[in-house]
Amino acid sequence: MQQEKILTFDDTDRETAAQLLEKYWVIRDREPELYQQIREREQMLRNYFFDKCGFYLLVHKDFAKLEKIPDQAESWMGFSELEKPRDYALLCCLLAYLENKSIDEQFLLSDLCEALPVLYPVNDETDDSEINWESYEWRRTLVRVLSFACDQAILSRVDGEIGGFSGSQEQEVLFEVPSLSRYFLRSYPKDLFQYADKNELIQAERADDENQKTGRTRRNRIYRQLLLTPSYDKGEAQEDDFLYLRNRRNRLLDDIAAHTLFAFELYEQVAMLTLPEKRVFATVFPDQRAVSDVLLHFARYVRATVEDGVNVPTTEGRVILTPAEFERLLLLCKEQTDHGWSKEVRTWSLAKLSQQVLQELVEWKFAHIEEETGMVCLRPSLARAVGQYPKDYRQGVDGHGNE
Amino acid sequence: MDDKCLKAIPETTYLSAGNVRRYRGILHYFYVQHEKMRQYLFPEDVYQYLRQDEVFADYTEDELQQDLKQLVEWKNLIPRQETGRVMTIEDFKRKKFRYQCTPYTVEIERMVEHLYEIGNSFGGSLETTMFDRLFQSLSRFQEEAKTGQGSELNQAWEDVYSYFKKIVQSASDYLAHLKSEKVEERMMTEAFLVYKDSFADYLRKFILGLQQVSYNIESILRNFETEVFERAAQELASYQLSIPRLEETLSHEEFVLKYQDQWQSLRDWFLGIPGRASELTSLENETTETIRRITRFVQRIGEKQQNVRNRYKDYLHLATWFAQENSIAEAHALSAMLFGLSQVRHVFADQAESENMYQSVWQVAPMKITVKPRTNTYREKRRPGAVIGRAAEKTAALEQYLAERRREQELIDSIIENNRIVIAQLPVQEPFIRKTLLAWIGKCMASQNHTAKTEQGRQIRLVRQSDASITLTCLDGRLTLPDFVIEVLS
């Protein structure tokens, strides 16, 4: 049989594909060159992402968007600008408000403020809208949502300053409805209000999968995990998916190298796409934040305990710790390395430190917390990169420097 | 009896209503302005006019607003919101209305004034040929105005004015028609798709025609000397008086004034008055806006067909989902399902050391990342390395480079004869020469007097010797270019 030919991308194609993956969307006015590149490669990119991930590439006259729907939704996948569930709820109300206006129509913040309490879900207990513009908290929430909406270009500000609203309800702002507002929410074959809750929606997606247990569904699932997330753990994978990875390893190596900026790595218990070269636009671990340093040191200490036989990874390559054990390990790491930590992180209490580090570990899929037991599961991907101080650094506060 | 003969006519209510003086005052002004081709009036114009009269000394702007509202209700006036987007909150709040009197009102006023019979009812269309005709008649009038007399001159003026009148009427009627809700409704339907192209095409042609001719008209109007028109107006007035009439007519001065008024409104329409854009501009803007609206409607219709439906209910439904979430982490996860990921995450790592897929990551050497201590006592040290002398190589490279430049320089010198480079006469050249010449030509073209300075500091000038094309043959191909000569000035 004839081997399926792998269509390769050139450097620009790969770069363009990477940008599409990384960005929520590419707005033509803001990045005309990138938009143009996508346009020129539209067909190729569309075919690739649809075939591998089942993602749709939308190319509209004002923007291009690769709709990246995860196989498993996680906490770090949302918009970090939004801080509370009600930020999201308010954003949806804003979108509803915009939906009933025509494109390019203008409106005032005061009109929006009048409309939002009517749109916002009523509180079950008080049977009343929760929104109260007298409250500083609510005004801050609206400011966050509006600034976010403007950043994302689903709203455009013509005149006036949004920020002023947090201080005064009298602040007036003139807005306009851009065409992009219509495309922020992904498109569904069915009306979303037909689903009672989000679980029903997720079930519906899964059910579709069941209906067509073809190789394609599996491929999409695996590619989604690989391309979108830091690592793909055997422990989280469906049965046989890792077998698929092993059988196709060489094909995957070639395919990933040919179409992305990533390198495909496959170990006994984890598969991951690593980025061999740092890119300005990419979100990678480690980054510039001080907490990244702590994670790197921590990884090194965990590895040391594994090498010493203190901790033995499970068959899934996980190191399972009680919260207390986790804290002890973190404390050990702190004692040995915190002379080089940033001042702020160094002064955190152990509780705060462990909470921050744990959150960060979860967001990079280096760990997760078992729901039933509350155990901290360190995942194999944590072992991939470790940190160490420079060789010439010997000025530790407690005399401990580098090994 | 025919039913229509028995119906009340609300348009005439104003003639006998309580505030009849105010209503009549307003509508009369509208009518007079209508006759001067000013179709649309702003409330402040009306107000200023009325206040000139003692009767209206106590009249307030609020009262005027009320009266205008009432007249709109009686269908004597048509309000029209100023189109176009605004840039400030202020402008948005007082989005202006302009008013136009209805054809009925005009007729009623005419009737009331014992004036002429009704002309064409408003139908309206955009005919660029009318701009052509206006331009032609205007040119003729320009000639006549200098020396012409009597009926010739009168005819020329009548032509100008009647074409102008027609343009104003039909253009504004047509646009008013386009803006009416009925038409908008029709645009929303899918049936509109069938003729949107021809429709948009019609408008586009109109705009093009308008732009081509209006420039000429404007330039005539701008260059028309006041004295010349003065003379023409005098002549026209005399001609009018020379026609025997039974009824009372205007005096000579009044005729002159009337012509001046008409002339002024013509000028205003095309050129605008200080502080306000001309009607021509707004006609152009409105036509463009209409085309844009058509495009938008078509796009929306197209989107509808692609199953992009109104998702108002969806959004509100989702809002309840989010509002029910207990933690931001869950809300983020839900967001990813609904909106898609905001970014992807990956680990930065160099080449993996193991190719063995049956090995655990714990057993493979990790990527070691150097963490710079975040203390101010630590300074990164520079690694001392042996200094290797490369002076000889550098000198050699420099030598080679300079030799190359010298050779090129000689090549250039060789094609300069009598301080001129006649490209047409050059023998076969090296590619380097072509590149240099092209760079020079580019530089010269960019400057106003076609001179430039070369890399060697020579002042050169580009001269076009003839209209012919010439060919420069180089070792790697032939370049066809205009017959240029480069003169070396210094």
Side-chain angles (χ1 to χ4, degrees):
Chain A
M1 254 196 14
Q2 206 186 341
Q3 270 266 314
E4 191 191 324
K5 205 182 142 222
I6 294 183
L7 176 85
T8 46
F9 284 6
D10 66 20
D11 284 351
T12 322
D13 298 337
R14 276 197 287 273
E15 191 82 24
T16 314
Q19 298 257 20
L20 270 175
L21 266 181
E22 181 68 29
K23 289 178 172 161
Y24 182 75
W25 56 13
V26 174
I27 298 162
R28 186 187 195 166
D29 283 352
R30 296 189 190 168
E31 296 177 282
E33 282 167 29
L34 180 55
Y35 174 85
Q36 191 53 36
Q37 276 176 28
I38 296 167
R39 259 237 129 113
E40 284 162 12
R41 297 162 172 78
E42 191 178 334
Q43 205 49 46
M44 248 163 66
L45 293 166
R46 173 174 293 135
N47 291 346
Y48 182 74
F49 283 116
F50 187 73
D51 182 42
K52 303 295 181 191
C53 309
F55 291 158
Y56 292 98
L57 173 63
L58 274 161
V59 180
H60 181 271
K61 71 175 178 50
D62 297 324
F63 71 91
K65 178 184 176 190
L66 182 65
E67 270 183 346
K68 298 174 282 290
I69 308 300
D71 180 56
Q72 292 165 35
E74 298 187 47
S75 63
W76 53 269
M77 293 175 170
F79 299 101
S80 55
E81 295 91 332
L82 302 179
E83 296 171 8
K84 294 176 179 163
R86 73 179 187 195
D87 291 13
Y88 278 107
L90 200 60
L91 176 69
C92 291
C93 295
L94 171 68
L95 285 166
Y97 180 80
L98 298 179
E99 185 79 16
N100 272 0
K101 298 218 167 281
S102 50
I103 304 291
D104 286 349
E105 191 173 332
Q106 297 185 319
F107 62 93
L108 291 172
L109 177 58
S110 50
D111 297 333
L112 178 68
C113 285
E114 257 174 55
L116 285 177
V118 183
L119 300 175
Y120 197 83
V122 290
N123 186 320
D124 289 336
E125 282 154 37
T126 60
D127 221 20
D128 212 358
S129 177
E130 287 184 48
I131 294 183
N132 171 14
W133 301 131
E134 306 264 301
S135 136
Y136 177 72
E137 277 304 308
W138 268 108
R139 294 201 303 271
R140 285 290 311 155
T141 304
L142 182 60
V143 167
R144 267 199 306 276
V145 170
L146 292 176
S147 312
F148 170 74
C150 289
D151 282 349
Q152 290 290 341
I154 47 181
L155 180 64
S156 38
R157 189 183 58 86
V158 183
D159 190 29
E161 292 303 324
I162 296 169
F165 184 73
S166 59
S168 155
Q169 280 186 66
E170 302 306 310
Q171 175 69 27
E172 195 56 286
V173 184
L174 178 63
F175 293 110
E176 211 169 85
V177 186
S179 64
L180 272 70
S181 67
R182 301 288 192 259
Y183 298 90
F184 194 65
L185 181 63
R186 73 186 267 207
S187 51
Y188 272 82
K190 259 167 98 176
D191 286 315
L192 287 166
F193 61 79
Q194 292 176 8
Y195 301 101
D197 56 36
K198 65 167 179 180
N199 295 326
E200 211 174 280
L201 176 78
I202 296 168
Q203 284 307 315
E205 301 238 323
R206 289 275 152 78
D208 272 1
D209 277 11
E210 296 300 320
N211 287 341
Q212 34 164 331
K213 256 206 154 144
T214 59
R216 181 194 190 90
T217 320
R218 169 184 293 171
R219 179 170 67 231
N220 287 352
R221 180 169 68 227
I222 290 172
Y223 262 92
R224 284 182 188 199
Q225 288 288 39
L226 285 176
L227 281 172
L228 303 182
T229 76
S231 62
Y232 184 28
D233 220 25
K234 193 178 174 189
E236 67 176 333
Q238 291 192 25
E239 213 188 322
D240 293 346
D241 278 6
F242 253 65
L243 199 62
Y244 173 95
L245 285 174
R246 291 208 178 104
N247 291 340
R248 306 253 173 158
R249 178 172 174 267
N250 289 336
R251 288 288 302 280
L252 278 162
L253 272 174
D254 291 345
D255 185 65
I256 296 295
H259 298 97
T260 73
L261 304 175
F262 302 116
F264 175 65
E265 297 182 15
L266 180 61
Y267 301 92
E268 190 189 359
Q269 302 112 342
V270 67
M272 54 201 297
L273 296 191
T274 51
L275 191 67
E277 246 179 276
K278 283 201 181 175
R279 300 296 174 119
V280 197
F281 63 83
T283 315
V284 290
F285 175 84
D287 53 27
Q288 293 304 309
R289 293 169 313 139
V291 71
S292 271
D293 295 359
V294 180
L295 256 60
L296 283 168
H297 290 302
F298 182 70
R300 180 151 155 253
Y301 277 82
V302 175
R303 270 194 82 112
T305 65
V306 170
E307 278 156 23
D308 295 349
V310 178
N311 283 314
V312 180
T314 65
T315 48
E316 286 169 346
R318 293 173 173 179
V319 171
I320 300 175
L321 304 170
T322 65
E325 284 171 333
F326 170 75
E327 275 197 9
R328 207 172 316 135
L329 199 56
L330 188 59
L331 188 63
L332 182 75
C333 168
K334 178 179 161 72
E335 279 169 358
Q336 307 229 5
T337 56
D338 79 346
H339 47 80
W341 294 7
S342 79
K343 196 176 167 202
E344 193 206 344
V345 178
R346 207 163 50 215
T347 53
W348 281 349
S349 68
L350 185 59
K352 167 141 197 203
L353 176 69
S354 83
Q355 187 242 321
Q356 294 283 325
V357 168
L358 200 54
Q359 184 189 332
E360 200 70 15
L361 286 170
V362 169
E363 294 197 348
W364 286 101
K365 281 181 86 176
F366 292 142
H368 70 269
I369 296 163
E370 274 188 4
E371 250 177 66
E372 297 94 44
T373 58
M375 299 286 258
V376 178
C377 286
L378 301 178
R379 296 173 150 200
S381 56
L382 180 65
R384 182 64 182 91
V386 301
Q388 60 183 24
Y389 286 124
K391 291 267 187 283
D392 61 353
Y393 171 67
R394 299 260 178 224
Q395 296 173 305
V397 178
D398 57 357
H400 289 275
N402 222 35
E403 55 192 76
Chain B
M1 209 183 289
D2 195 338
D3 193 41
K4 70 180 173 193
C5 306
L6 302 175
K7 274 191 179 154
I9 302 170
E11 282 89 341
T12 57
T13 317
Y14 79 98
L15 291 174
S16 51
N19 282 325
V20 62
R21 293 165 73 90
R22 269 147 61 171
Y23 298 139
R24 289 208 55 190
I26 294 168
L27 286 185
H28 181 72
Y29 182 60
F30 268 97
Y31 167 71
V32 171
Q33 294 304 314
H34 175 89
E35 292 298 281
K36 286 185 187 171
M37 296 303 112
R38 280 189 67 195
Q39 303 286 334
Y40 293 99
L41 300 183
F42 288 96
E44 50 264 48
D45 298 335
V46 182
Y47 187 67
Q48 265 174 20
Y49 165 77
L50 292 177
R51 281 297 294 267
Q52 289 167 8
D53 206 304
E54 277 173 34
V55 184
F56 288 95
D58 299 330
Y59 196 50
T60 68
E61 281 191 65
D62 281 346
E63 281 173 311
L64 173 66
Q65 288 295 350
Q66 278 171 25
D67 291 346
L68 289 173
K69 223 176 122 191
Q70 182 61 66
L71 288 169
V72 168
E73 225 161 85
W74 286 330
K75 298 184 194 167
N76 293 108
L77 293 179
I78 304 169
R80 206 155 99 192
Q81 203 164 30
E82 278 288 81
T83 53
R85 286 141 76 176
V86 298
M87 296 314 290
T88 69
I89 298 166
E90 282 304 295
D91 287 353
F92 185 80
K93 280 185 173 165
R94 59 174 154 78
K95 236 190 178 179
K96 283 185 168 175
F97 277 99
R98 299 200 291 179
Y99 294 86
Q100 178 186 22
C101 56
T102 59
Y104 267 45
T105 312
V106 174
E107 280 319 308
I108 293 162
E109 279 295 313
R110 276 191 186 142
M111 184 182 78
V112 170
E113 299 265 318
H114 298 288
L115 282 174
Y116 311 104
E117 265 180 74
I118 186 163
N120 292 331
S121 67
F122 290 108
S125 66
L126 299 173
E127 288 292 342
T128 44
T129 51
M130 286 202 293
F131 283 100
D132 285 327
R133 285 189 214 137
L134 176 63
F135 171 61
Q136 280 159 11
S137 58
L138 203 57
S139 320
R140 214 177 80 230
F141 176 68
Q142 193 181 23
E143 286 308 305
E144 289 288 339
K146 286 174 194 151
T147 51
Q149 274 177 334
S151 65
E152 287 288 304
L153 178 63
N154 190 56
Q155 192 53 50
W157 171 246
E158 289 292 323
D159 282 353
V160 169
Y161 201 63
S162 68
Y163 286 132
F164 171 57
K165 237 166 135 171
K166 254 193 202 151
I167 285 173
V168 172
Q169 277 181 357
S170 53
S172 60
D173 287 355
Y174 189 63
L175 282 173
H177 171 65
L178 283 183
K179 279 172 177 290
S180 71
E181 290 205 358
K182 223 176 179 178
V183 172
E184 203 140 293
E185 255 168 46
R186 206 171 300 154
M187 278 191 193
M188 300 281 208
T189 64
E190 284 169 30
F192 179 69
L193 282 178
V194 182
Y195 56 98
K196 61 106 185 165
D197 280 338
S198 54
F199 197 65
D201 200 40
Y202 182 60
L203 292 177
R204 212 167 281 130
K205 270 191 197 141
F206 170 75
I207 282 234
L208 274 175
L210 181 65
Q211 282 165 345
Q212 282 158 4
V213 185
S214 66
Y215 178 77
N216 295 335
I217 295 177
E218 279 174 45
S219 73
I220 287 194
L221 289 176
R222 270 185 227 288
N223 297 331
F224 214 108
E225 286 156 36
T226 325
E227 304 85 65
V228 177
F229 185 80
E230 280 293 316
R231 195 203 79 88
Q234 298 287 348
E235 286 293 334
L236 285 168
S238 310
Y239 175 75
Q240 288 295 335
L241 289 173
S242 73
I243 302 170
R245 292 175 208 264
L246 289 178
E247 77 264 45
E248 244 179 274
T249 59
L250 303 174
S251 69
H252 186 85
E253 280 72 35
E254 282 168 333
F255 265 120
V256 171
L257 217 57
K258 181 181 139 197
Y259 287 123
Q260 274 172 344
D261 265 359
Q262 290 177 338
W263 179 245
Q264 195 56 43
S265 63
L266 176 75
R267 282 180 57 96
D268 290 351
W269 203 87
F270 279 96
L271 304 176
I273 51 173
R276 192 176 294 167
S278 69
E279 291 294 319
L280 179 74
T281 319
S282 78
L283 180 63
E284 214 177 309
N285 290 342
E286 283 175 23
T287 314
T288 323
E289 178 63 25
T290 307
I291 293 177
R292 220 183 299 142
R293 274 194 314 151
I294 292 174
T295 324
R296 272 210 302 271
F297 283 134
V298 170
Q299 199 191 345
R300 306 275 334 135
I301 292 169
E303 282 167 1
K304 258 187 215 157
Q305 285 171 337
Q306 288 160 21
N307 273 333
V308 178
R309 56 207 154 220
N310 187 310
R311 299 199 285 174
Y312 180 78
K313 270 167 93 180
D314 278 354
Y315 290 125
L316 294 186
H317 190 61
L318 298 180
T320 62
W321 288 6
F322 279 116
Q324 281 160 11
E325 294 289 2
N326 293 317
S327 71
I328 184 63
E330 283 176 37
H332 281 323
L334 177 58
S335 157
M337 293 300 294
L338 295 171
F339 301 111
L341 261 72
S342 62
Q343 97 278 63
V344 299
R345 292 190 175 207
H346 290 280
V347 173
F348 161 70
D350 54 6
Q351 191 67 47
E353 287 199 12
S354 167
E355 294 271 292
N356 183 352
M357 59 180 166
Y358 295 104
Q359 231 175 354
S360 168
V361 199
W362 298 101
Q363 292 156 0
V364 181
M367 154 120 186
K368 285 186 181 148
I369 293 171
T370 304
V371 180
K372 247 176 72 186
R374 295 185 190 243
T375 55
N376 36 22
T377 47
Y378 175 75
R379 292 273 178 280
E380 224 171 324
K381 282 190 196 126
R382 264 202 229 126
R383 187 167 303 204
V387 180
I388 303 163
R390 298 194 191 274
E393 288 163 49
K394 275 190 202 161
T395 321
L398 186 66
E399 264 317 304
Q400 201 191 341
Y401 175 81
L402 288 177
E404 185 74 13
R405 289 287 89 78
R406 268 199 302 275
R407 204 181 67 83
E408 286 176 358
Q409 191 49 45
E410 278 161 19
L411 265 176
I412 290 177
D413 290 344
S414 73
I415 59 170
I416 301 176
E417 249 179 77
N418 298 330
N419 283 335
R420 277 159 66 92
I421 302 173
V422 184
I423 299 177
Q425 292 168 11
L426 291 179
V428 178
Q429 293 296 328
E430 286 194 27
F432 160 75
I433 291 290
R434 183 191 65 241
K435 282 179 199 155
T436 309
L437 289 178
L438 275 176
W440 286 2
I441 291 171
K443 266 189 182 175
C444 291
M445 299 288 271
S447 88
Q448 261 187 346
N449 46 10
H450 289 190
T451 62
K453 220 172 200 172
T454 71
E455 297 77 1
Q456 274 74 35
R458 283 186 177 122
Q459 193 73 27
I460 54 168
R461 179 165 61 206
L462 186 67
V463 180
R464 178 113 189 223
Q465 188 140 282
S466 75
D467 287 339
S469 285
I470 56 162
T471 306
L472 174 65
T473 311
C474 297
L475 293 172
D476 59 347
R478 295 150 62 85
L479 170 76
T480 309
L481 72 165
D483 188 3
F484 284 132
V485 167
I486 291 169
E487 291 178 352
V488 180
L489 304 175
S490 63

